[in-house]
Amino acid sequence: MTESGVYRSSGTNNAPLPLPNVEQVELQAMLDWLSTYGADAQGGVTRLLYDSAWCEAQGALAAKMQEKGLSPEFDQSGNLYGTLKSEGKESATGAEELPIVTGSHIDTVVYGGKYDGAYGVVAGVLALEYLQKHFGAPKRTLQVVSLCEEEGSRFPFAYWGSRSITGITALEDVEHLKDQDGVTFAQAIRDAGFGPDSAYRPAAKNYGAFIELHIEQGQVLERLGHSIGVVSDIVGQKRFSITVSGEANHAGTTPMSWRKDALAGAAEMITVVRSVALDAGEPLVATVGRITADPGVGNVVAARAVFSLDIRHIRQESMDRCWQDMLQAFSRIAAEQQLVLDWQEHLSVTPIPMNAQMISDIQDTCEQEQLSYWLMPSGAGHDSQIFQPACPTAMIFVPSQDGISHNPLEYTAEADLMHGFRVLVRLLYKYGYGS
C-alpha cells in the first residue's frame, strides 16, 4: 500500500494481463438498453433526479447488478452500489481495507445523450462481472456506484450524489430547493422512496479510491488522434442566477429614455460576460445558457429578467477575478439604467488535480495495452472533483465524435468504448487482485 491508500503492484504484476474474451463484453448493448429508460421524442434521453424515468433506470440497474453477480444496495440519497466482495483477507493493521470504487452518474440533461455518465456506470458493472468470472473474488473489495445525480438539471444544485457520499452536503442543505414546477427537493426525494425516513442506510461512506470512466465531451482526443485521455485536473466552476429588476410599463407610451427595462439591462450584462471572458483568455470560459423575462409579454417593458451564469477555469484565482470583473460591470450597468441587481451563487467548486500515482498507473496501463494517450485537463465538471479531496481519484476519457455531448447526437464508437473498458479492467485488477 502507498501513502495514498492505492495499491501499487510490484514488478511481477506489471506484466501484461491476459484479458480473455474481452471483445465479447456487450458494452454497447447495455448502453442501448439503459437509454430506453427516459427515451424522449427528440431521440435523446431525459432522466432527471427522482423523476419516474430515473427511478425506473436505477431499479433496472439494481436488478442488472444482481444478475451480473454483484450485491446491489441503495443509500438514502438514491445512490446505487454494486459490490464484489473480497475473499475476506484483512490488511496488515487487522482492519478490512476500504473498497476500490468505479462508476459515474445516470441522470441526464434534458434531451441528453446515452453515453454521458451512463458509460462509466455500465462499464463498471461489466468490468466487475468480467473480473469475477475470470479471476474469482478479489483480494480487496471492488464496487461500482451509479450516482443518483451530477448534472443539476432538475434542481439548481449539482453533484448531489457524490456530495452526499462524501458528507459535503446534507439533505437539510438542499431540501428547500424547487424545480421549475415548484416541487421541493424534500418532496421529490420522498416521492422517489428515499430520504431519512426510508429503509436505506445513510449515504456517507468511505472509499479507498475512486475511478471514473467517462466520454470526453470535447474534441481534443478525436482531433489529436488519441485513444485515451488521462485527466490531470478538473476545472473549477461557479454558477449563478443573476436577477435584474426594473419597472413594467407600456411599450408604446413609455419613452425610451424613461424606461427601467430589466431585459435590456440584462442583455447588456450578457454581452459583458463574453467580452470579459475573451479578455481573460483560454482556458477560462463563461456561459449564459438561460434567460427569462417577466411579465414576458411582447408589448410590455420587462419588469424583471433572470439569467444564468457559468464560469470555469483550472485556476481558482483566475475564476474569482473574472467573476469580480463581471460583477463590477453588472453593477455599473444597473446603476446607469436605474435597475436593481441581485445575484445568487448556486455552485462553487474549486479546481481539483487528480491523484498523481493513479495518473501514472493509467499511463502504464495504456502502454501495456498499446493505446495512445494524452494527459489533459477536463473542462467539464465531474463527480471525481468531489471525491478527490476525500480519497485518491482518477478519471479516464474516451473520444467523443465531433466533441458533441449533452445532445441526442452524442456518440462514441464501440471500439473507443472498449479501449476505455480494457484500461478500467486492468486498473481494477491491479488494485483489487494485486498481491
Side-chain angles (χ1 to χ4, degrees):
M1 295 290 293
T2 66
E3 287 184 5
S4 64
V6 180
Y7 180 80
R8 177 71 166 174
S9 60
S10 62
T12 56
N13 281 324
N14 284 330
L17 169 72
L19 299 179
N21 304 320
V22 71
E23 291 79 10
Q24 297 179 14
V25 175
E26 296 182 355
L27 189 53
Q28 184 65 61
M30 190 168 169
L31 281 167
D32 293 341
W33 163 79
L34 185 58
S35 71
T36 63
Y37 296 92
D40 53 50
Q42 283 68 29
V45 182
T46 300
R47 284 193 298 262
L48 307 184
L49 178 63
Y50 303 137
D51 72 5
S52 59
W54 177 93
C55 289
E56 291 171 3
Q58 283 287 70
L61 273 171
K64 185 69 72 173
M65 288 176 179
Q66 185 87 48
E67 174 189 318
K68 300 295 186 182
L70 308 179
S71 299
E73 179 187 16
F74 284 101
D75 66 23
Q76 290 179 358
S77 296
N79 297 306
L80 170 62
Y81 309 84
T83 302
L84 183 57
K85 190 70 176 172
S86 72
E87 57 189 16
K89 290 184 178 179
E90 295 180 338
S91 68
T93 63
E96 184 177 353
E97 292 181 307
L98 295 174
I100 302 296
V101 184
T102 188
S104 194
H105 61 96
I106 67 152
D107 68 305
T108 72
V109 298
V110 177
Y111 310 140
K114 69 171 71 171
Y115 299 91
D116 178 8
Y119 170 50
V121 175
V122 167
V125 171
L126 294 178
L128 265 57
E129 179 197 32
Y130 177 90
L131 288 168
Q132 183 180 43
K133 177 180 178 181
H134 293 284
F135 304 103
K139 297 178 180 178
R140 184 172 182 176
T141 295
L142 300 174
Q143 274 187 335
V144 55
V145 61
S146 175
L147 295 164
C148 62
E149 193 270 346
E150 186 259 8
E151 298 287 3
S153 297
R154 181 176 181 185
F155 297 95
F157 184 79
Y159 311 116
W160 165 238
S162 51
R163 282 176 174 269
S164 64
I165 289 171
T166 55
I168 295 174
T169 303
L171 179 59
E172 51 263 33
D173 299 324
V174 295
E175 61 185 358
H176 64 284
L177 298 177
K178 294 182 179 180
D179 66 12
Q180 63 179 6
D181 296 320
V183 179
T184 65
F185 197 101
Q187 180 182 341
I189 192 172
R190 184 171 57 251
D191 290 348
F194 299 101
D197 296 331
S198 69
Y200 303 113
R201 63 169 175 79
K205 188 175 180 68
N206 294 321
Y207 288 176
F210 181 71
I211 307 164
E212 187 170 13
L213 178 60
H214 208 280
I215 60 170
E216 181 196 348
Q217 300 179 281
Q219 302 181 55
V220 174
L221 294 177
E222 184 180 58
R223 287 197 173 193
L224 297 181
H226 293 291
S227 297
I228 297 293
V230 184
V231 178
S232 58
D233 47 27
I234 300 177
V235 296
Q237 292 186 57
K238 284 181 171 293
R239 293 186 191 177
F240 302 89
S241 287
I242 313 295
T243 302
V244 184
S245 300
E247 181 178 86
N249 219 324
H250 197 291
T253 62
T254 310
M256 297 298 292
S257 60
W258 294 0
R259 298 183 179 199
K260 299 178 182 179
D261 189 335
L263 188 55
E268 190 169 336
M269 294 175 192
I270 291 169
T271 63
V272 165
V273 170
R274 177 175 172 80
S275 63
V276 169
L278 287 171
D279 288 344
E282 295 181 355
L284 187 137
V285 292
T287 305
V288 174
R290 181 178 65 248
I291 184 169
T292 59
D294 181 45
V297 179
N299 61 352
V300 178
V301 175
R304 185 170 178 265
V306 181
F307 64 91
S308 63
L309 175 60
D310 181 308
I311 306 172
R312 308 186 189 202
H313 199 283
I314 60 173
R315 287 192 293 275
Q316 184 69 40
E317 61 272 18
S318 297
M319 192 165 54
D320 291 340
R321 184 168 59 251
C322 178
W323 162 237
Q324 289 303 318
D325 289 347
M326 289 179 183
L327 182 58
Q328 184 177 11
F330 293 170
S331 299
R332 173 183 54 78
I333 293 167
E336 290 173 351
Q337 301 187 23
Q338 301 181 68
L339 302 169
V340 176
L341 175 70
D342 191 17
W343 55 273
Q344 183 177 4
E345 187 173 30
H346 294 301
L347 179 69
S348 180
V349 179
T350 58
I352 296 291
M354 296 291 96
N355 181 268
Q357 179 186 298
M358 296 180 75
I359 288 174
S360 177
D361 288 343
I362 296 170
Q363 291 171 319
D364 289 346
T365 300
C366 288
E367 290 170 6
Q368 291 171 3
E369 281 290 309
Q370 298 182 323
L371 295 171
S372 64
Y373 63 88
W374 188 251
L375 187 64
M376 60 185 295
S378 171
H382 296 284
D383 289 296
S384 287
Q385 69 195 99
I386 305 299
F387 283 116
Q388 169 61 23
C391 68
T393 299
M395 280 204 81
I396 304 164
F397 281 166
V398 295
S400 295
Q401 182 172 286
D402 297 326
I404 295 173
S405 186
H406 285 185
N407 185 311
L409 296 178
E410 180 180 274
Y411 176 74
T412 294
E414 187 167 10
D416 290 320
L417 296 175
M418 291 304 299
H419 289 154
F421 179 79
R422 293 181 73 97
V423 172
L424 178 65
V425 167
R426 281 194 182 278
L427 208 60
L428 291 173
Y429 179 86
K430 182 184 189 76
Y431 297 152
Y433 291 81
S435 57

